[in-house]
Amino acid sequence: MLEAKGINAFYSRKQVLFDTSISVKEGEKVILIGPNGAGKSTLLKTIVGLLAPTKGQIAFSGEDISSWSPQRRINSGIGYLLQNENIVPGLTVEENLLLGAYPIKGDLLKKRVEEVFEIFGFMKGRLKDRAGFLSGGERQALAVSMVLMKHPRLLLLDEPTAGLAPKAAQNILEHVKKAQDVIGVKAVCLVEHNLKLALEWASKVIVLVQGRVVFTSDTPELFINNPEELEKYFFE
Amino acid sequence: MNYVLHLLIMIGIYLILSYGLNLVVGFGGLLSLCHAVFYGIGAYTGTLLMIKAGLPFLPAIFLGMVITGLFALIVGLPALRFRGDSFVLVTLGFQMIVFTILYNWIDLTRGPYGIPGIPRPVIAGVEVTELYQYFILVSLFLVVIVAILFVVCRSPFGLALKALRDDEMAAEGLGKSPVHLFLYAFVISGMVASLAGGLYATYVTYIDPTSFTLDESIFLLAILLVGGTGNMIGPLVGTVFMILLPEALRFLGLPDTVAPNVRQMIYGLTLITLMFLRPQGIAGEFKLR
């Protein structure tokens, strides 16, 4: 479904990704882990087109999207949740959802909003509230909902549980699972620091260290009880 | 009464200008220093289309808006690729270029001599000559413009602009194209300023380039700084304040020899104090950086 091959990316003169390759197949729930500064967020930014790689190729659903604008990539079915605040705090919950859906309107928009209610039930009663007044968990739920409004086939989530209490973090990941059923999201790639939580959720784990993929496994459940087996790569 | 009507007409024209600029500055978060030029292009194209091409008021003014929109598109395309400080500099450059052209293209604009005798608007066979008639005309245009901008600002387009203003990368991550959205806002804003220019020219019946200088662009920005941006109330408060404050200062009873300078100083001090106490403006929701 997604194939990123041999990606080199820089911030100014500092190289962050070194010939990095990852693939996400339909049905997979991938977690991307690694120490701070490993290039996880950079890799997602590069895939979605917010950072132009100097080398490498990105294919989505069999099409080479390397030269596409971020807007075209997102409209073609890639949903992206940026790290940190992803809502507009000054707007209401409803306006934020509208913003996520734009340019979808009319009956289709109403249907999408209903789908969001099905996943995040609390939002129904909070539509007119300012997004800035929501709790941390609710804000992240809203941010995820905004991404879901466009019915992405592939979800790229950059630390959606950052700063949340363990219960709220678990909730978010459970709701992402639910979104796969309700919206029909085909695959998810998640950057996550809460290793145990992510390993319980994922079907594939990729370890990124200093801009390079150092380990990949299709059996993340094997590491749930001994995540240090993965963490050892961080310090090699 | 005539004095009050004149003030109301000028407030109406400046409200149209500030509401248009608010779309770029308040909703888009972009600092434009060339709004007086769009105002001027609207004034000159409307005037020339009426005088030289013999077009009636409404077609002339609307064609002027289209022409100004094209200018905004031409400037906006390169300027919006580089936002932030570069955008400010590009708009400043455009302001200087157009002012120089208006000042020196004597054959077309009569340069510093200006264009006198601009015909009054004729709408449905009625010539708008009286002040109260002009007040009604400006008010009608103002209501239409405010209604359109109200809908635009609450539409997904307006919301997307706000999102880009607050966090461009997050908005881009949601699939919003900054260049396209900012460009639409810039063009709409330019066209609205053009309308104000057309109304101004036919109201004062004389225009010259000194009405459309950088000072004027800065004055328009000051209206938004004082009143506040990012909503529909800020420009109203700012315009009323900035137009009426100098007038109010006339009644201080200062000696004639120092009155103009003291008034200017009080005006400046008031602005400084206001910015110190309320940096987001009197009724604003977004603080310009």
Side-chain angles (χ1 to χ4, degrees), chain B:
Chain B
M1 187 60 190
N2 281 354
Y3 173 64
V4 174
L5 274 176
H6 166 72
L7 284 180
L8 289 174
I9 290 166
M10 290 314 290
I11 286 174
I13 290 172
Y14 275 92
L15 272 175
I16 294 174
L17 280 167
S18 57
Y19 273 119
L21 184 59
N22 188 36
L23 192 62
V24 172
V25 178
F27 285 82
L30 297 167
L31 210 61
S32 166
L33 277 179
C34 67
H35 215 60
V37 148
F38 296 137
Y39 180 38
I41 293 173
Y44 272 93
T45 48
T47 299
L48 292 171
L49 286 168
M50 280 199 289
I51 292 177
K52 297 208 171 182
L55 284 183
F57 171 71
L58 286 177
I61 222 167
F62 289 135
L63 197 52
M65 287 171 77
V66 173
I67 292 168
T68 311
L70 285 174
F71 272 99
L73 186 71
I74 292 164
V75 183
L77 268 173
L80 290 166
R81 299 249 160 230
F82 311 99
R83 290 180 289 282
D85 297 346
S86 311
F87 176 80
V88 180
L89 287 176
V90 173
T91 57
L92 177 63
F94 182 62
Q95 165 73 46
M96 291 157 79
I97 291 167
V98 174
F99 177 76
T100 308
I101 291 171
L102 291 178
Y103 207 80
N104 290 286
W105 195 353
I106 308 283
D107 290 344
L108 185 72
T109 66
R110 288 175 43 89
Y113 308 113
I115 305 176
I118 299 169
R120 292 283 192 182
V122 178
I123 298 166
V126 178
E127 189 177 8
V128 181
T129 51
E130 299 297 324
L131 278 177
Y132 79 89
Q133 290 175 312
Y134 221 90
F135 170 67
I136 293 169
L137 179 69
V138 170
S139 301
L140 285 176
F141 274 113
L142 177 63
V143 168
V144 172
I145 289 297
V146 169
I148 291 170
L149 290 178
F150 186 80
V151 173
V152 166
C153 292
R154 271 168 172 65
S155 69
F157 165 73
L159 301 179
L161 260 186
K162 271 189 171 181
L164 282 167
R165 175 196 75 188
D166 292 345
D167 189 340
E168 190 170 320
M169 189 169 269
E172 227 182 328
L174 282 169
K176 316 298 169 226
S177 164
V179 174
H180 285 116
L181 290 169
F182 284 138
L183 197 59
Y184 295 149
F186 197 58
V187 170
I188 294 171
S189 172
M191 291 174 79
V192 172
S194 172
L195 169 68
L199 287 170
Y200 172 75
T202 51
Y203 172 59
V204 296
T205 68
Y206 169 82
I207 50 169
D208 71 61
T210 58
S211 300
F212 313 108
T213 57
L214 178 61
D215 284 359
E216 187 69 5
S217 284
I218 292 171
F219 177 74
L220 294 171
L221 269 180
I223 285 178
L224 293 183
L225 282 167
V226 168
T229 60
N231 58 26
M232 299 301 280
I233 301 168
L236 173 69
V237 175
T239 306
V240 172
F241 187 87
M242 293 290 279
I243 302 279
L244 292 189
L245 180 62
E247 301 301 325
L249 293 175
R250 285 178 200 273
F251 301 105
L252 282 181
L254 297 164
D256 287 349
T257 46
V258 294
N261 293 335
V262 173
R263 277 206 299 265
Q264 281 292 88
M265 285 167 70
I266 294 174
Y267 192 41
L269 270 175
T270 310
L271 295 185
I272 292 169
T273 312
L274 197 62
M275 283 301 98
F276 184 72
L277 296 174
R278 261 193 87 78
Q280 74 275 41
I282 298 169
E285 67 173 58
F286 169 64
K287 191 162 76 180
L288 284 169
R289 285 158 291 210

Side-chain angles (χ1 to χ4, degrees), chain A residues 45 48 50 70-71 74-75 80 82 85-86 88-89 91 95 98-102 130 146-147 150, chain B residues 154-157 159-163 166-167 169-170 172-178 180-181 184 285:
Chain A
K45 265 187 201 164
V48 87
L50 293 176
Q71 291 74 47
I74 285 156
N75 290 333
Y80 173 58
L82 198 74
E85 286 279 297
N86 295 294
V88 186
L91 301 182
E95 286 171 333
L98 207 64
L99 183 65
Y102 178 66
R130 280 223 170 188
M146 287 165 75
V147 176
K150 278 202 174 151
Chain B
R154 271 168 172 65
S155 69
F157 165 73
L159 301 179
L161 260 186
K162 271 189 171 181
D166 292 345
D167 189 340
M169 189 169 269
E172 227 182 328
L174 282 169
K176 316 298 169 226
S177 164
H180 285 116
L181 290 169
Y184 295 149
E285 67 173 58

